[in-house]
Amino acid sequence: MSVNWDLVWSSLGPLIGGAIKGTIPLTLASFVLGLILALIVALMRLSRNVILAAVGRFYVSVIRGTPLLVQLFVIFYGLPTIGIKLDPWPSAIIAFSLNVGGYAAEVIRAAILSVPKGQWEAAHTIGMSRGQALLRIILPQAARVSVPPLSNTFISLVKDTSLASLILVTELFRQAQQVAAFSQEFMALYLEAAAVYWVICLVLSSAQSQLEKRLDRYVAH
Amino acid sequence: MSPTDEAPVLKVRGLTKSFGSNAVLRGIDLDVPKGKVVALIGPSGSGKTTVLRCLNGLEMPDGGTVALGGNGTGELRLDFGGKVSRKEIFALRDRSAMVFQHYNLFPHMTVLQNVTEGPIKVQKRPRTQAVEEAERLLARVGLLEKKDAYPFELSGGQQQRVGIVRALALRPQLLLFDEPTSALDPELVGDVLGVIKELAEEGWTMVIVTHELGFARQMADEVIFMDDGVVVERGPASEVLRQPQQERTQQFLQRLLHDF
Ligand SMILES: Nc1ncnc2c1ncn2[C@@H]1O[C@H](COP(=O)(O)OP(=O)(O)O)[C@@H](O)[C@H]1O
Ligand SMILES: [Mg+2]
């Protein structure tokens, strides 16, 4: 097998372009929205209101119990049949946000529960309400505990966004598909795409371990 | 001594609390006059911590009354036989402050932030004034140079002194200590007891749960022996600790002396 290095070299631009204009913004937008959703769902699941808690539990169960690709297709191809027609980008962002929301909700819930009960009590003894205690005392500590698992969610998301190519979002993998179809160099292009994903994830992993080192010491053990 | 000095800051009558079918407090009465120190002793599981938690609004009693007053601010009276509002619980928390067995400092905040969090964020006092007061209090317990340190950088004894300063900074009428030295290495106990002794001399009103009998004898104006959710014996430290009248008290003290 001979590798067409010229093609590999010349397609690097479009692939990285796909990462910068597609994969990365899609990941960031979905992750941020997903985290906000996850925090809300985590608080619902921890709330004393049984209805809120049940709704939260149901949502998490559905998201975790169904394939991401199916969720994506339901939103992009399914919703139009009931009159809701969304473009590829909003569809992708909604699907990935909902997905991150389900997984990260469990991470955040576990992190909140991992903060020792004594922290709530200390917050109350200095006069804080439940809301104040949550915002100023509990969540900052839960955030630190959540960094490793949420980093994993984030890194998975980078790779999962390749599914968006199936609903025609022009991101890294779709760029690779297009060049491959045109040149018939499938092996070279898909390995090249794999390499770009890998580099992105390596950078993120090293950022993750830096962050963890810095945060670990402020956690109550 | 003038009569107003003797008027109780804290007056508890018939305090009861159950967890499920477990009746943990079965009618506790407690009077603490202004500036006095009451030591609460008793075997593990007798309900000592629960008493303190009820007095700090961390636990909702099932019945009884708690009155906290003095300092010309008017008396706060909570009747747990009826409905007690959130507002009343917050008022109770505002007037009392707890020092925990395991310090429970906020690990993500510096020493200074730990101390000023309540005054600034909850009591809404001006920042500069709260910081000044916090620094003065930290200096008093010998920890001013640690004000920018995080809790994990401190020894247990230092952490507990910060815990005490955090409580003092709230300017409570009543200080509650739950075995403040029992989590400490023996060589660090003295520092913390020294600070508490100074506070007693300054006239702070305190309820202290402790197993340090020597300390209780020296410090406490009254010693209360609890067992199984009731007060078994109470009186001046010298009497309760030296010549206990009740058999259960005698047995408890004997066992405690044996263990050390
Ligand atoms: N939150 C709780 N839920 C259920 N039982 C509790 C709770 N807190 C305390 N208890 C029970 O109440 C009893 C008294 O506990 P505690 O007040 O901590 O005693 P002490 O401080 O004297 O050791 C114990 O039997 C304990 O198991
Ligand atoms: Mg206890």
Side-chain angles (χ1 to χ4, degrees), chain B residues 194-208:
Chain B
V195 168
I196 299 174
K197 199 176 297 179
E198 278 179 35
L199 297 177
E201 283 157 11
E202 263 174 45
W204 287 85
T205 311
M206 308 194 265
V207 179
I208 307 177

Side-chain angles (χ1 to χ4, degrees), chain A residues 117-130 132 136-138 140-141 144 217-220, chain B residues 53 56 58 86 90 93 96-98 100 104-109 117-118 121-122 124 150 152 166 170:
Chain A
K117 216 170 118 253
Q119 292 292 310
W120 283 100
E121 296 181 348
H124 289 320
T125 205
I126 67 168
M128 287 185 170
S129 63
R130 269 177 73 83
Q132 261 181 320
R136 299 203 46 89
I137 307 299
I138 305 301
Q141 296 181 59
R144 287 164 165 82
R217 39 196 209 150
Y218 303 112
V219 175
Chain B
R53 291 167 54 83
N56 195 216
L58 294 175
R86 264 168 59 87
F90 277 101
R93 282 182 191 157
S96 64
M98 179 97 118
F100 298 92
N104 297 0
L105 298 184
F106 306 128
H108 59 301
M109 293 183 178
E117 182 73 6
K121 298 294 173 194
V122 181
K124 309 287 184 202
Y150 283 87
F152 74 94
R166 179 173 68 180
L170 300 164

